[in-house]
Amino acid sequence: MSKSFGGLKVLDDITFEISKAKAFVLLGRSGTGKSVTLKHIIGLVRPDKGHVFVDGREITQLDARALSDVRKHMGFLFQSAALFDSMTVGDNVAFPLRRHTDLPDKEIRERAKQKLADVGLEREFDKMPAELSGGMKKRAALARAMALDPAILLVDEPSAGLDPITASEIDELLVQRKHSGATIVVVTHNIPSARAIGDELAVLHEGHIIAQGTAGDLDRSDDPLVKTFMRSEAGG
Amino acid sequence: MAIVDRVGGSVLSSLEFVGALATFGGRAIVSAFRPPYEVGEIVRHLYQFGLRSMPLILTSGFAIGVVLSMHTRATLARFGAEAMIPAGLAVALVRETGPLTAGLLVSGRVGAGIGAEIGAMRVTEQIDALEANAVDAFKFLAVTRVIACMIAMPLLTVMMDFAGIVGGFTAETAVSGMSWQLYFERSFLYLEFSDLIPATLKTVVFGFLIASVASYLGFTTSRGTEGVGEASTRSVVMASILIILSDVILVKIIFFFYPQVPA
Ligand SMILES: Nc1ncnc2c1ncn2[C@@H]1O[C@H](COP(=O)(O)OP(=O)(O)O)[C@@H](O)[C@H]1O
Ligand SMILES: [Mg+2]
């Protein structure tokens, strides 16, 4: 697929395939179009040219209702967290459950609490998003993205703003989701985390995927940019 | 030539704006009749727009009643028709001053809020987050506000009318010592349903315009915080202009259906 904004060509005919129940990690420098790529997968951005298939369905061709049905099986963590700031953290996490399940409210609250506990925020249930730090917002938003245990989980820089210990806990959570059958796409700058989660890694640069394969494959790459990437230890 | 281009350009862009707005508003109406009806959100906005605008509406209504009473007195005293003051004031208030003032006040109080809130949700990706959660953001954010505003407007207008009559009474009793009962009676002496109903119902249109304009500008916000401020300000300006312009047409329509023949 290809995508431009104004005169700026962000994605220049990129192609990739993501296997079910595997974790696909998208790497690349800031501003190369990783977030834009992720938004294509859930239909928030439409390609100028090309196709996006999810479970065999061409989602750029779907009408609003059908697209909404596909989205019910997806979780999306925004790079900006994008919590609903008029609701408490607990209501944010409960939001997908209230919209898309018939569970009684008590059960919904229980589940939302559990999801927040999974990301270490059980005590933040009644707080407003504005009261959280950047890293906490990110984790709360991840809890919301995982509320319905979606079959496809798209996460944009989950460990940005987190300390290394919390970051590796989040990695662990994502790996667990993968082992219970979810397909995961992660955008990250954090190479240790990419190694820990990713079955397949891809590096996006100037509109193209310049390298793709397992962490081992990328370690053996001759490309200087890929080398620099794979050698870096941490990062946002 | 430059000036012609400039004027032509701005005429074109206003037409474009009105066209886009009409499409947006039309979509809102159509979408309102399709489930899910989002009743919870509508009630929440009704509370926000209605209840929380009441202090503004009641104090302004009262003050306008006092001022109108002074003007009415000055006019009617010339004809020795002081007894007509309550009726004159009530008719002026209910037919035009109440609805129009309420519309302009709400476009400031509520329009600015809608423009800023939806605008902020746009630039912080909360609208995308709704969509990603398989929620129709247009319906959830815009349609619910349009409906709530259409319900709140006539109710607020009636309150404004009533506060104005109370204000008029206060001014009157200070001068002539007239009793509340007599004042109230005289207020409604010449007031007919054809004064009250169409004038109050036209504010449903004002409510539609306020919420549609503000939601539209909120949804189309870009350029971060600066854009949010602009969406908020433009919401008030555009809604006020549209209210005043639509009022001309609405009054014309009301006169067509309720011709004012002296009895
Ligand atoms: N909605 C948009 N409108 C215009 N330009 C955009 C939009 N979204 C992203 N871009 C541009 O696309 C490029 C890639 O952005 P992004 O995908 O966020 O990069 P990153 O790889 O850091 O996630 C950037 O130059 C950005 O300015
Ligand atoms: Mg990004």
Side-chain angles (χ1 to χ4, degrees), chain A residues 34-35 79 156-157 187:
Chain A
K34 303 182 296 298
S35 299
Q79 184 172 358
D156 201 341
E157 301 193 16
V187 168

Side-chain angles (χ1 to χ4, degrees), chain A residues 5 8 10 29-37 79 156-157 187:
Chain A
F5 291 106
L8 180 73
V10 178
R29 304 180 64 172
S30 294
T32 50
K34 303 182 296 298
S35 299
V36 168
T37 305
Q79 184 172 358
D156 201 341
E157 301 193 16
V187 168

Side-chain angles (χ1 to χ4, degrees), chain B residues 238-254:
Chain B
M238 291 292 173
S240 305
I241 293 174
L242 286 172
I243 283 177
I244 293 169
L245 292 181
S246 71
D247 194 38
V248 177
I249 299 165
L250 290 166
V251 168
K252 197 87 193 146
I253 293 173
I254 292 171

Side-chain angles (χ1 to χ4, degrees), chain A residues 61-106:
Chain A
Q61 302 297 324
L62 299 178
D63 63 15
R65 172 140 300 177
L67 182 57
S68 161
D69 284 337
V70 172
R71 284 170 172 170
K72 284 176 194 165
H73 305 288
M74 294 179 144
F76 195 102
L77 170 64
F78 285 81
Q79 184 172 358
S80 64
L83 292 172
F84 304 124
D85 53 20
S86 62
M87 300 177 197
T88 64
V89 171
D91 284 337
N92 263 280
V93 180
F95 186 81
L97 295 159
R98 293 212 168 100
R99 299 293 307 195
H100 304 305
T101 70
D102 297 322
L103 298 172
D105 202 60
K106 189 161 169 289

Side-chain angles (χ1 to χ4, degrees), chain B residues 17 213 217 229-239:
Chain B
F17 176 79
V213 170
L217 291 172
E230 196 178 302
S232 178
T233 316
R234 283 191 70 203
S235 295
V236 180
V237 174
M238 291 292 173

